[in-house]
Amino acid sequence: MNGPIDAARAWLAQDPDPVTRTELEQLLERADAGDAAASANLADRFGTRLAFGTAGLRGRLGAGSNRMNRVLVAQAAAGLAAYLTERAAAGTTPTVVIGYDGRRNSDVFARDSAELFAGAGLRAVLLPRMLPTPVLAFAVRHLGAAAGVMVTASHNPPDDNGYKVYLGGDDDGAQIVPPADADIARHIQRVADAGDIGSLPRSTDYAIADESVVDAYIDATAAVAPAPPGAGGMTWVYTAMHGVGWETFSRVLQRAGYPAPTTVSEQIEPDGTFPTVAFPNPEEPGAMDLAFQAAREAGAEFVIANDPDADRLAVAIPDPEDPEGWRRLTGNEIGLLLGWRAARRAAAGGADRTASLACSLVSSPGLAVVAERYGLSSHATLTGFKWISRAPGIVYGFEEALGYLVNPETVRDKDGISAAVAMLGLIAEAREQGAQAGDLLRQFQAEFGYFDSGQVSLRVDDLSVIGRIMAALRATPPAEVGGVAVTRIDDLLTGVDGVPPGDVLRLWLADGSRVIVRPSGTEPKLKVYLDVRGESASDARSRLQTLEAGATELLARG
Protein backbone atom coordinates (compact mmCIF):
# COMPACT_ATOMS: atom_id res chain seq x y z
CA MET A 1 0.00 0.00 0.00
CA ASN A 2 1.25 3.48 -0.86
CA GLY A 3 -0.54 6.05 1.30
CA PRO A 4 -0.19 9.17 -0.88
CA ILE A 5 -0.91 7.27 -4.12
CA ASP A 6 -3.98 5.55 -2.66
CA ALA A 7 -5.18 8.89 -1.28
CA ALA A 8 -4.63 10.51 -4.68
CA ARG A 9 -6.68 7.84 -6.45
CA ALA A 10 -9.51 8.24 -3.94
CA TRP A 11 -9.36 12.01 -4.39
CA LEU A 12 -9.42 11.63 -8.17
CA ALA A 13 -12.65 9.66 -7.96
CA GLN A 14 -14.51 12.62 -6.44
CA ASP A 15 -12.77 15.62 -8.05
CA PRO A 16 -15.19 17.57 -10.30
CA ASP A 17 -12.52 19.90 -11.71
CA PRO A 18 -11.03 18.82 -15.07
CA VAL A 19 -7.92 20.96 -14.48
CA THR A 20 -6.95 19.40 -11.15
CA ARG A 21 -8.03 15.95 -12.38
CA THR A 22 -5.60 16.19 -15.28
CA GLU A 23 -2.89 17.51 -12.98
CA LEU A 24 -3.36 14.56 -10.62
CA GLU A 25 -3.60 11.94 -13.37
CA GLN A 26 -0.28 13.09 -14.81
CA LEU A 27 1.39 12.97 -11.40
CA LEU A 28 0.07 9.47 -10.76
CA GLU A 29 1.26 8.29 -14.17
CA ARG A 30 4.76 9.61 -13.48
CA ALA A 31 4.81 8.15 -9.95
CA ASP A 32 3.71 4.75 -11.27
CA ALA A 33 6.62 4.93 -13.73
CA GLY A 34 9.04 5.36 -10.82
CA ASP A 35 9.49 9.16 -10.94
CA ALA A 36 10.78 10.05 -7.45
CA ALA A 37 9.95 13.74 -7.84
CA ALA A 38 6.33 12.92 -8.69
CA SER A 39 6.08 10.62 -5.68
CA ALA A 40 7.47 13.35 -3.43
CA ASN A 41 4.99 15.79 -4.93
CA LEU A 42 2.11 13.45 -4.14
CA ALA A 43 3.40 12.97 -0.61
CA ASP A 44 3.39 16.75 -0.13
CA ARG A 45 -0.14 17.08 -1.53
CA PHE A 46 -1.65 14.20 0.43
CA GLY A 47 0.59 13.78 3.49
CA THR A 48 -1.63 16.23 5.37
CA ARG A 49 -4.55 18.59 4.72
CA LEU A 50 -4.90 22.34 4.94
CA ALA A 51 -6.02 23.02 8.47
CA PHE A 52 -9.21 25.00 9.01
CA GLY A 53 -8.59 27.55 11.76
CA THR A 54 -9.32 31.11 12.82
CA ALA A 55 -8.08 32.29 9.42
CA GLY A 56 -10.30 29.74 7.65
CA LEU A 57 -8.36 28.06 4.84
CA ARG A 58 -5.49 29.43 2.79
CA GLY A 59 -2.99 27.69 0.55
CA ARG A 60 -1.67 27.03 -2.93
CA LEU A 61 -4.07 26.10 -5.71
CA GLY A 62 -3.85 22.52 -6.94
CA ALA A 63 -5.08 18.97 -6.46
CA GLY A 64 -4.77 17.34 -3.06
CA SER A 65 -5.86 17.69 0.54
CA ASN A 66 -2.93 20.07 1.18
CA ARG A 67 -4.02 22.46 -1.60
CA MET A 68 -6.93 24.80 -2.35
CA ASN A 69 -9.33 23.16 -4.81
CA ARG A 70 -13.00 22.38 -5.42
CA VAL A 71 -12.94 19.21 -3.32
CA LEU A 72 -11.51 20.96 -0.26
CA VAL A 73 -13.88 23.92 -0.69
CA ALA A 74 -16.88 21.59 -1.02
CA GLN A 75 -15.89 19.85 2.20
CA ALA A 76 -15.49 23.23 3.93
CA ALA A 77 -18.85 24.51 2.69
CA ALA A 78 -20.68 21.34 3.72
CA GLY A 79 -19.00 21.36 7.13
CA LEU A 80 -19.85 25.03 7.71
CA ALA A 81 -23.45 24.38 6.64
CA ALA A 82 -23.70 21.56 9.19
CA TYR A 83 -22.29 23.79 11.92
CA LEU A 84 -24.74 26.61 11.16
CA THR A 85 -27.68 24.21 11.01
CA GLU A 86 -26.68 22.69 14.34
CA ARG A 87 -26.54 26.07 16.13
CA ALA A 88 -29.62 27.61 14.48
CA ALA A 89 -32.68 28.28 16.59
CA ALA A 90 -35.53 25.84 16.05
CA GLY A 91 -37.70 26.73 13.10
CA THR A 92 -35.20 29.21 11.59
CA THR A 93 -33.25 29.05 8.34
CA PRO A 94 -29.74 30.52 8.58
CA THR A 95 -28.59 32.92 5.86
CA VAL A 96 -25.06 32.73 4.48
CA VAL A 97 -23.64 35.45 2.22
CA ILE A 98 -20.73 34.59 -0.08
CA GLY A 99 -18.23 36.96 -1.68
CA TYR A 100 -15.20 36.49 -3.91
CA ASP A 101 -12.29 38.48 -5.34
CA GLY A 102 -10.40 38.31 -8.64
CA ARG A 103 -8.01 35.46 -7.88
CA ARG A 104 -8.00 32.30 -9.93
CA ASN A 105 -10.97 30.06 -9.09
CA SER A 106 -12.44 32.52 -6.57
CA ASP A 107 -15.69 32.72 -8.54
CA VAL A 108 -15.80 28.93 -8.95
CA PHE A 109 -15.26 28.30 -5.23
CA ALA A 110 -17.92 30.90 -4.39
CA ARG A 111 -20.55 29.37 -6.68
CA ASP A 112 -19.76 25.86 -5.41
CA SER A 113 -20.27 27.13 -1.87
CA ALA A 114 -23.57 28.83 -2.73
CA GLU A 115 -24.90 25.62 -4.30
CA LEU A 116 -23.83 23.51 -1.34
CA PHE A 117 -25.29 25.92 1.23
CA ALA A 118 -28.55 25.99 -0.69
CA GLY A 119 -28.50 22.21 -1.04
CA ALA A 120 -28.08 21.90 2.72
CA GLY A 121 -31.26 23.91 3.26
CA LEU A 122 -29.67 27.25 4.10
CA ARG A 123 -30.57 30.56 2.48
CA ALA A 124 -27.49 31.33 0.37
CA VAL A 125 -26.84 34.82 -1.01
CA LEU A 126 -24.01 35.33 -3.51
CA LEU A 127 -22.64 38.85 -3.94
CA PRO A 128 -23.32 40.11 -7.49
CA ARG A 129 -19.72 40.12 -8.75
CA MET A 130 -16.11 40.14 -7.56
CA LEU A 131 -15.90 42.67 -4.72
CA PRO A 132 -13.55 43.69 -1.89
CA THR A 133 -13.47 41.68 1.32
CA PRO A 134 -14.84 44.65 3.36
CA VAL A 135 -18.03 44.58 1.27
CA LEU A 136 -18.59 40.95 2.29
CA ALA A 137 -17.86 41.76 5.94
CA PHE A 138 -20.36 44.63 5.70
CA ALA A 139 -22.97 42.43 4.00
CA VAL A 140 -22.97 39.88 6.85
CA ARG A 141 -24.34 42.52 9.23
CA HIS A 142 -26.38 44.41 6.65
CA LEU A 143 -28.30 41.27 5.63
CA GLY A 144 -28.54 39.89 9.15
CA ALA A 145 -26.74 36.74 8.01
CA ALA A 146 -25.70 33.92 10.31
CA ALA A 147 -22.37 33.72 8.51
CA GLY A 148 -20.34 35.00 5.60
CA VAL A 149 -17.66 33.42 3.42
CA MET A 150 -15.08 35.40 1.47
CA VAL A 151 -13.06 33.52 -1.14
CA THR A 152 -9.71 35.32 -1.15
CA ALA A 153 -6.06 34.90 -0.28
CA SER A 154 -5.72 38.65 0.30
CA HIS A 155 -2.10 39.64 -0.47
CA ASN A 156 -0.64 36.12 -0.72
CA PRO A 157 1.39 35.02 -3.78
CA PRO A 158 -0.52 34.61 -7.09
CA ASP A 159 -0.87 30.81 -6.88
CA ASP A 160 -2.74 30.94 -3.54
CA ASN A 161 -6.38 31.18 -2.64
CA GLY A 162 -8.35 30.99 0.59
CA TYR A 163 -11.68 30.71 2.39
CA LYS A 164 -12.37 33.22 5.16
CA VAL A 165 -15.39 32.79 7.47
CA TYR A 166 -17.35 35.44 9.39
CA LEU A 167 -20.15 34.90 11.90
CA GLY A 168 -23.21 37.06 12.45
CA GLY A 169 -25.51 37.23 15.45
CA ASP A 170 -23.63 37.73 18.71
CA ASP A 171 -20.35 37.70 16.76
CA ASP A 172 -21.49 40.89 14.98
CA GLY A 173 -19.97 40.02 11.62
CA ALA A 174 -16.44 39.37 12.91
CA GLN A 175 -14.09 36.60 11.80
CA ILE A 176 -14.32 33.31 13.66
CA VAL A 177 -12.40 32.63 16.88
CA PRO A 178 -12.20 29.57 19.13
CA PRO A 179 -14.17 27.46 19.81
CA ALA A 180 -16.10 28.09 16.58
CA ASP A 181 -13.09 27.26 14.42
CA ALA A 182 -12.59 23.87 16.04
CA ASP A 183 -16.32 23.09 15.91
CA ILE A 184 -16.47 23.93 12.19
CA ALA A 185 -13.28 21.94 11.57
CA ARG A 186 -14.84 18.84 13.17
CA HIS A 187 -17.83 19.07 10.82
CA ILE A 188 -15.50 19.53 7.83
CA GLN A 189 -13.49 16.48 8.85
CA ARG A 190 -16.65 14.35 9.03
CA VAL A 191 -17.49 15.36 5.46
CA ALA A 192 -13.92 14.63 4.33
CA ASP A 193 -13.95 11.22 6.03
CA ALA A 194 -17.09 10.26 4.09
CA GLY A 195 -14.92 10.58 0.99
CA ASP A 196 -17.39 11.58 -1.71
CA ILE A 197 -18.37 15.19 -2.30
CA GLY A 198 -20.44 14.03 -5.26
CA SER A 199 -23.06 12.74 -2.80
CA LEU A 200 -23.48 16.14 -1.13
CA PRO A 201 -26.81 17.78 -1.98
CA ARG A 202 -26.54 20.83 -4.25
CA SER A 203 -29.04 23.38 -5.45
CA THR A 204 -28.93 26.35 -7.80
CA ASP A 205 -31.75 27.90 -5.78
CA TYR A 206 -29.55 30.56 -4.23
CA ALA A 207 -30.01 34.33 -4.40
CA ILE A 208 -27.82 36.93 -6.05
CA ALA A 209 -27.54 39.92 -3.73
CA ASP A 210 -29.23 43.07 -4.87
CA GLU A 211 -27.00 45.98 -5.89
CA SER A 212 -28.43 47.84 -2.90
CA VAL A 213 -26.00 45.95 -0.65
CA VAL A 214 -23.03 47.48 -2.47
CA ASP A 215 -24.74 50.88 -2.52
CA ALA A 216 -25.25 50.73 1.24
CA TYR A 217 -21.56 49.95 1.77
CA ILE A 218 -20.58 52.87 -0.47
CA ASP A 219 -22.89 55.26 1.41
CA ALA A 220 -21.57 54.16 4.81
CA THR A 221 -17.94 54.37 3.70
CA ALA A 222 -18.27 57.77 2.05
CA ALA A 223 -19.74 59.03 5.34
CA VAL A 224 -16.52 58.13 7.20
CA ALA A 225 -14.89 61.37 6.00
CA PRO A 226 -16.79 63.54 3.52
CA ALA A 227 -14.36 65.72 1.59
CA PRO A 228 -13.59 69.03 3.34
CA PRO A 229 -12.72 72.15 1.30
CA GLY A 230 -9.01 71.27 1.55
CA ALA A 231 -9.57 68.32 -0.80
CA GLY A 232 -9.89 70.65 -3.77
CA GLY A 233 -6.96 70.36 -6.19
CA MET A 234 -5.45 67.44 -4.30
CA THR A 235 -3.13 65.40 -6.57
CA TRP A 236 -2.50 61.80 -5.69
CA VAL A 237 -1.90 58.33 -7.10
CA TYR A 238 -3.81 55.11 -6.44
CA THR A 239 -3.03 51.46 -7.19
CA ALA A 240 -5.32 48.47 -6.71
CA MET A 241 -2.38 46.03 -6.98
CA HIS A 242 -4.25 44.01 -9.65
CA GLY A 243 -7.09 43.58 -7.15
CA VAL A 244 -10.78 44.37 -6.85
CA GLY A 245 -10.62 47.66 -4.94
CA TRP A 246 -10.90 50.31 -7.64
CA GLU A 247 -14.49 49.91 -8.83
CA THR A 248 -15.85 50.23 -5.28
CA PHE A 249 -13.31 52.82 -4.11
CA SER A 250 -13.90 55.05 -7.13
CA ARG A 251 -17.62 55.17 -6.35
CA VAL A 252 -16.87 55.99 -2.71
CA LEU A 253 -14.62 58.85 -3.82
CA GLN A 254 -17.34 60.31 -6.01
CA ARG A 255 -19.92 60.04 -3.24
CA ALA A 256 -17.59 61.59 -0.64
CA GLY A 257 -16.50 64.40 -2.99
CA TYR A 258 -12.78 63.73 -3.39
CA PRO A 259 -10.89 64.47 -6.60
CA ALA A 260 -10.08 61.42 -8.68
CA PRO A 261 -6.52 60.14 -8.42
CA THR A 262 -4.04 59.28 -11.12
CA THR A 263 -4.32 55.51 -11.28
CA VAL A 264 -1.56 53.01 -11.95
CA SER A 265 -3.09 51.74 -15.18
CA GLU A 266 -1.02 48.53 -15.25
CA GLN A 267 -2.45 47.48 -11.86
CA ILE A 268 -5.94 49.00 -11.75
CA GLU A 269 -8.02 46.09 -13.17
CA PRO A 270 -8.42 42.73 -11.40
CA ASP A 271 -5.94 40.17 -12.71
CA GLY A 272 -5.40 36.93 -10.82
CA THR A 273 -2.03 36.37 -12.49
CA PHE A 274 -0.61 39.58 -10.93
CA PRO A 275 1.69 40.21 -13.91
CA THR A 276 3.62 43.18 -12.47
CA VAL A 277 4.23 41.91 -8.91
CA ALA A 278 5.59 38.57 -7.74
CA PHE A 279 4.09 39.14 -4.29
CA PRO A 280 1.05 41.49 -4.37
CA ASN A 281 1.59 42.92 -0.90
CA PRO A 282 2.24 46.69 -0.59
CA GLU A 283 4.72 45.90 2.20
CA GLU A 284 6.98 43.89 -0.09
CA PRO A 285 10.02 45.54 -1.68
CA GLY A 286 9.24 46.61 -5.24
CA ALA A 287 5.47 46.13 -5.00
CA MET A 288 4.81 49.88 -5.17
CA ASP A 289 7.50 50.76 -7.73
CA LEU A 290 4.96 51.45 -10.49
CA ALA A 291 2.97 53.65 -8.12
CA PHE A 292 6.09 55.65 -7.27
CA GLN A 293 6.86 56.05 -10.97
CA ALA A 294 3.33 57.32 -11.62
CA ALA A 295 3.60 59.67 -8.65
CA ARG A 296 6.84 61.18 -9.94
CA GLU A 297 5.33 61.71 -13.37
CA ALA A 298 2.15 63.26 -11.93
CA GLY A 299 3.89 65.42 -9.34
CA ALA A 300 1.65 63.79 -6.74
CA GLU A 301 1.42 64.81 -3.11
CA PHE A 302 0.98 61.23 -1.86
CA VAL A 303 0.25 57.64 -2.93
CA ILE A 304 -2.48 55.32 -1.67
CA ALA A 305 -2.52 51.57 -2.33
CA ASN A 306 -4.86 48.73 -1.49
CA ASP A 307 -3.89 45.09 -1.49
CA PRO A 308 -5.75 42.77 -3.92
CA ASP A 309 -8.88 42.27 -1.79
CA ALA A 310 -8.75 45.88 -0.51
CA ASP A 311 -8.78 45.12 3.18
CA ARG A 312 -5.34 46.72 3.72
CA LEU A 313 -4.09 50.26 3.12
CA ALA A 314 -0.62 51.55 2.27
CA VAL A 315 0.35 55.22 2.09
CA ALA A 316 3.54 56.75 0.69
CA ILE A 317 4.85 60.31 0.83
CA PRO A 318 7.66 62.20 -0.94
CA ASP A 319 11.03 61.72 0.71
CA PRO A 320 14.09 63.45 -0.77
CA GLU A 321 16.39 61.18 1.26
CA ASP A 322 15.02 58.03 -0.36
CA PRO A 323 16.71 56.92 -3.63
CA GLU A 324 13.29 56.68 -5.30
CA GLY A 325 12.10 59.93 -3.79
CA TRP A 326 9.22 58.21 -2.00
CA ARG A 327 8.78 56.48 1.34
CA ARG A 328 5.99 54.12 2.31
CA LEU A 329 4.72 54.90 5.79
CA THR A 330 4.92 52.02 8.21
CA GLY A 331 1.76 50.34 9.38
CA ASN A 332 2.35 51.79 12.82
CA GLU A 333 2.71 55.34 11.48
CA ILE A 334 -0.58 55.12 9.60
CA GLY A 335 -2.20 53.37 12.55
CA LEU A 336 -1.21 56.10 15.00
CA LEU A 337 -2.37 58.89 12.70
CA LEU A 338 -5.75 57.26 12.17
CA GLY A 339 -5.94 56.47 15.88
CA TRP A 340 -5.33 60.14 16.70
CA ARG A 341 -8.12 61.07 14.32
CA ALA A 342 -10.49 58.54 15.91
CA ALA A 343 -9.64 59.69 19.44
CA ARG A 344 -10.31 63.34 18.60
CA ARG A 345 -13.67 62.50 17.11
CA ALA A 346 -14.65 60.20 19.95
CA ALA A 347 -13.75 62.79 22.58
CA ALA A 348 -15.56 65.53 20.65
CA GLY A 349 -18.64 63.31 20.64
CA GLY A 350 -18.57 62.95 24.41
CA ALA A 351 -17.02 59.47 24.59
CA ASP A 352 -15.52 58.35 27.90
CA ARG A 353 -13.53 55.32 29.02
CA THR A 354 -16.26 52.98 27.86
CA ALA A 355 -14.91 53.77 24.37
CA SER A 356 -11.58 52.31 23.36
CA LEU A 357 -8.77 52.24 20.85
CA ALA A 358 -7.42 48.75 20.16
CA CYS A 359 -4.45 47.22 18.39
CA SER A 360 -2.65 43.92 18.20
CA LEU A 361 -0.07 43.43 20.92
CA VAL A 362 2.75 43.65 18.35
CA SER A 363 1.56 47.07 17.14
CA SER A 364 2.82 50.40 18.47
CA PRO A 365 2.28 51.13 22.18
CA GLY A 366 1.83 54.74 21.07
CA LEU A 367 -1.88 54.05 20.59
CA ALA A 368 -2.32 53.63 24.35
CA VAL A 369 -0.68 57.04 24.85
CA VAL A 370 -3.17 58.60 22.42
CA ALA A 371 -6.10 56.92 24.18
CA GLU A 372 -4.93 58.14 27.59
CA ARG A 373 -4.57 61.71 26.34
CA TYR A 374 -8.21 61.75 25.23
CA GLY A 375 -9.66 59.91 28.22
CA LEU A 376 -10.36 56.68 26.34
CA SER A 377 -9.51 53.08 27.14
CA SER A 378 -7.02 51.03 25.16
CA HIS A 379 -6.64 47.33 24.50
CA ALA A 380 -3.81 45.18 23.12
CA THR A 381 -5.07 41.90 21.65
CA LEU A 382 -3.63 38.86 19.97
CA THR A 383 -2.79 39.46 16.31
CA GLY A 384 -5.63 39.49 13.82
CA PHE A 385 -8.82 41.48 13.48
CA LYS A 386 -10.82 38.54 14.75
CA TRP A 387 -9.45 39.66 18.14
CA ILE A 388 -9.08 43.41 17.59
CA SER A 389 -12.68 43.80 16.45
CA ARG A 390 -13.90 42.19 19.68
CA ALA A 391 -12.21 44.73 21.98
CA PRO A 392 -14.79 46.17 24.41
CA GLY A 393 -16.13 49.56 23.36
CA ILE A 394 -13.98 49.72 20.23
CA VAL A 395 -14.17 52.91 18.18
CA TYR A 396 -10.96 52.22 16.25
CA GLY A 397 -8.49 49.38 15.79
CA PHE A 398 -5.33 48.62 13.85
CA GLU A 399 -2.46 46.23 13.37
CA GLU A 400 1.00 47.05 12.10
CA ALA A 401 0.54 44.87 8.99
CA LEU A 402 -1.40 47.68 7.24
CA GLY A 403 -4.80 46.77 8.67
CA TYR A 404 -7.21 49.45 10.00
CA LEU A 405 -10.75 49.35 11.36
CA VAL A 406 -12.12 52.90 11.29
CA ASN A 407 -15.89 52.29 11.19
CA PRO A 408 -16.70 49.43 13.60
CA GLU A 409 -20.40 50.24 13.52
CA THR A 410 -20.58 49.02 9.91
CA VAL A 411 -17.59 46.73 9.29
CA ARG A 412 -16.10 44.55 12.05
CA ASP A 413 -12.89 43.84 10.18
CA LYS A 414 -9.99 45.68 8.64
CA ASP A 415 -11.13 47.79 5.70
CA GLY A 416 -8.62 49.35 3.32
CA ILE A 417 -11.25 51.45 1.55
CA SER A 418 -12.77 53.15 4.60
CA ALA A 419 -9.26 53.62 6.00
CA ALA A 420 -8.22 55.29 2.73
CA VAL A 421 -11.18 57.67 2.99
CA ALA A 422 -10.23 58.52 6.58
CA MET A 423 -6.64 59.18 5.49
CA LEU A 424 -7.84 61.39 2.61
CA GLY A 425 -9.85 63.36 5.13
CA LEU A 426 -6.82 63.82 7.37
CA ILE A 427 -4.64 64.99 4.49
CA ALA A 428 -7.32 67.35 3.16
CA GLU A 429 -7.71 68.92 6.61
CA ALA A 430 -3.94 69.36 6.81
CA ARG A 431 -3.95 71.08 3.41
CA GLU A 432 -6.41 73.64 4.77
CA GLN A 433 -3.69 74.61 7.26
CA GLY A 434 -1.03 74.76 4.56
CA ALA A 435 0.46 71.38 5.54
CA GLN A 436 1.15 68.20 3.59
CA ALA A 437 0.78 64.50 4.38
CA GLY A 438 4.30 64.25 5.78
CA ASP A 439 3.61 67.11 8.18
CA LEU A 440 0.98 64.99 9.92
CA LEU A 441 3.72 62.73 11.29
CA ARG A 442 5.67 65.68 12.66
CA GLN A 443 2.51 67.04 14.28
CA PHE A 444 1.87 63.68 15.91
CA GLN A 445 5.43 63.53 17.24
CA ALA A 446 5.19 67.03 18.66
CA GLU A 447 2.01 66.02 20.46
CA PHE A 448 2.79 62.51 21.69
CA GLY A 449 6.52 61.84 21.36
CA TYR A 450 8.85 59.99 19.03
CA PHE A 451 7.83 56.38 18.55
CA ASP A 452 9.66 54.06 16.21
CA SER A 453 9.28 50.38 15.44
CA GLY A 454 11.06 47.65 13.56
CA GLN A 455 11.15 43.92 13.02
CA VAL A 456 13.76 41.19 12.87
CA SER A 457 12.84 37.74 11.61
CA LEU A 458 14.42 34.33 11.19
CA ARG A 459 13.18 32.18 8.31
CA VAL A 460 13.57 28.43 8.80
CA ASP A 461 13.25 25.32 6.66
CA ASP A 462 12.39 23.14 9.66
CA LEU A 463 9.47 24.48 11.73
CA SER A 464 10.71 22.57 14.78
CA VAL A 465 13.57 25.08 14.99
CA ILE A 466 11.08 27.79 15.94
CA GLY A 467 9.74 25.65 18.79
CA ARG A 468 13.24 24.95 20.06
CA ILE A 469 14.16 28.66 20.07
CA MET A 470 10.96 29.63 21.91
CA ALA A 471 11.60 26.87 24.47
CA ALA A 472 15.21 28.01 24.95
CA LEU A 473 14.13 31.63 25.50
CA ARG A 474 11.61 30.49 28.10
CA ALA A 475 14.11 28.22 29.84
CA THR A 476 16.86 30.86 29.96
CA PRO A 477 15.27 34.31 29.64
CA PRO A 478 17.61 37.06 28.45
CA ALA A 479 18.81 39.55 31.05
CA GLU A 480 19.38 42.25 28.42
CA VAL A 481 18.75 43.02 24.77
CA GLY A 482 21.07 45.37 22.91
CA GLY A 483 22.79 46.31 26.14
CA VAL A 484 19.55 47.43 27.83
CA ALA A 485 18.37 45.49 30.88
CA VAL A 486 15.17 43.44 30.72
CA THR A 487 12.95 44.50 33.62
CA ARG A 488 9.91 42.26 32.98
CA ILE A 489 8.92 39.30 30.83
CA ASP A 490 5.32 38.40 30.01
CA ASP A 491 4.81 34.85 28.78
CA LEU A 492 1.47 34.86 27.00
CA LEU A 493 1.39 31.10 26.67
CA THR A 494 -1.00 31.02 29.63
CA GLY A 495 -2.66 34.38 28.96
CA VAL A 496 -1.74 37.78 30.41
CA ASP A 497 -3.84 40.90 31.12
CA GLY A 498 -6.98 39.35 29.69
CA VAL A 499 -5.28 38.41 26.40
CA PRO A 500 -6.12 34.82 25.34
CA PRO A 501 -3.18 32.40 25.45
CA GLY A 502 -0.69 32.58 22.60
CA ASP A 503 2.88 31.52 21.84
CA VAL A 504 4.27 34.99 22.55
CA LEU A 505 7.04 36.38 24.76
CA ARG A 506 6.91 40.10 25.60
CA LEU A 507 10.00 41.73 27.10
CA TRP A 508 10.00 45.18 28.70
CA LEU A 509 13.34 46.98 28.87
CA ALA A 510 14.70 49.51 31.36
CA ASP A 511 14.55 52.40 28.87
CA GLY A 512 10.87 51.79 28.09
CA SER A 513 11.53 49.81 24.91
CA ARG A 514 9.56 46.65 24.14
CA VAL A 515 10.58 43.40 22.44
CA ILE A 516 8.01 40.78 21.37
CA VAL A 517 8.96 37.35 20.07
CA ARG A 518 6.38 35.16 18.30
CA PRO A 519 6.18 32.59 15.51
CA SER A 520 4.57 33.90 12.33
CA GLY A 521 1.05 32.66 11.75
CA THR A 522 1.41 32.55 7.96
CA GLU A 523 5.09 31.95 7.15
CA PRO A 524 7.92 29.68 8.41
CA LYS A 525 9.42 32.54 10.40
CA LEU A 526 10.17 33.53 13.97
CA LYS A 527 9.46 37.24 14.29
CA VAL A 528 10.76 39.80 16.76
CA TYR A 529 8.84 43.09 16.98
CA LEU A 530 10.70 46.09 18.37
CA ASP A 531 9.26 49.33 19.73
CA VAL A 532 11.11 52.33 21.15
CA ARG A 533 10.32 55.87 22.26
CA GLY A 534 13.01 58.52 21.95
CA GLU A 535 13.67 62.14 22.81
CA SER A 536 13.78 63.01 19.11
CA ALA A 537 13.30 61.27 15.79
CA SER A 538 17.05 60.65 15.49
CA ASP A 539 17.25 59.38 19.07
CA ALA A 540 14.38 56.94 18.46
CA ARG A 541 16.05 55.73 15.27
CA SER A 542 19.37 55.21 17.07
CA ARG A 543 17.66 53.25 19.87
CA LEU A 544 15.88 51.09 17.32
CA GLN A 545 19.07 50.27 15.42
CA THR A 546 20.74 49.18 18.67
CA LEU A 547 17.73 47.08 19.56
CA GLU A 548 17.66 45.45 16.10
CA ALA A 549 21.26 44.32 16.56
CA GLY A 550 20.41 42.98 20.01
CA ALA A 551 17.38 41.12 18.70
CA THR A 552 19.47 39.47 15.99
CA GLU A 553 21.86 38.24 18.68
CA LEU A 554 18.92 37.07 20.77
CA LEU A 555 17.66 34.82 17.97
CA ALA A 556 21.15 33.47 17.41
CA ARG A 557 21.52 32.60 21.11
CA GLY A 558 18.11 30.93 21.16
Side-chain angles (χ1 to χ4, degrees), residues 463-532:
L463 287 176
S464 67
V465 172
I466 291 176
R468 289 199 296 271
I469 293 176
M470 293 297 291
L473 291 174
R474 287 186 167 98
T476 311
E480 57 83 23
V481 181
V484 182
V486 175
T487 58
R488 191 177 94 226
I489 299 178
D490 298 330
D491 188 346
L492 274 66
L493 202 57
T494 55
V496 174
D497 298 332
V499 177
D503 190 8
V504 180
L505 286 171
R506 182 168 59 191
L507 287 62
W508 300 94
L509 308 189
D511 66 352
S513 300
R514 187 185 69 180
V515 177
I516 294 178
V517 187
R518 63 177 285 268
S520 169
T522 57
E523 300 176 274
K525 286 182 178 180
L526 184 60
K527 292 186 173 183
V528 183
Y529 300 83
L530 311 169
D531 288 283
V532 301

Side-chain angles (χ1 to χ4, degrees), residues 132-134 154 217 238 240 243-246 306-313 414-418:
T133 292
S154 191
Y217 171 82
Y238 172 78
V244 294
W246 176 238
N306 285 136
D307 68 336
D309 69 328
D311 67 349
R312 285 173 169 81
L313 166 72
K414 57 184 176 294
D415 181 349
I417 296 177
S418 63

Side-chain angles (χ1 to χ4, degrees), residues 8 31 53-54 56-57 77 87 133 149 195 251 265-266 312 331 337 401 410-411 425 440 515-516 534 552:
T54 54
L57 294 166
R87 75 196 298 253
T133 292
V149 168
R251 292 177 62 190
S265 58
E266 301 95 328
R312 285 173 169 81
L337 289 177
T410 52
V411 177
L440 291 169
V515 177
I516 294 178
T552 301

Side-chain angles (χ1 to χ4, degrees), residues 68 137 274 289 322 408 414 422:
M68 284 294 300
F274 301 99
D289 284 355
D322 188 279
K414 57 184 176 294

Side-chain angles (χ1 to χ4, degrees), residues 159-214:
D159 287 338
D160 287 7
N161 214 326
Y163 202 78
K164 184 183 292 187
V165 177
Y166 298 80
L167 291 179
D170 292 340
D171 290 276
D172 220 11
Q175 293 181 53
I176 56 171
V177 294
D181 58 336
D183 291 342
I184 296 169
R186 280 193 289 273
H187 282 287
I188 293 172
Q189 189 61 55
R190 280 196 286 270
V191 175
D193 290 343
D196 181 15
I197 65 165
S199 66
L200 296 172
R202 284 177 176 256
S203 171
T204 57
D205 188 23
Y206 58 84
I208 303 295
D210 189 88
E211 197 64 33
S212 63
V213 176
V214 183

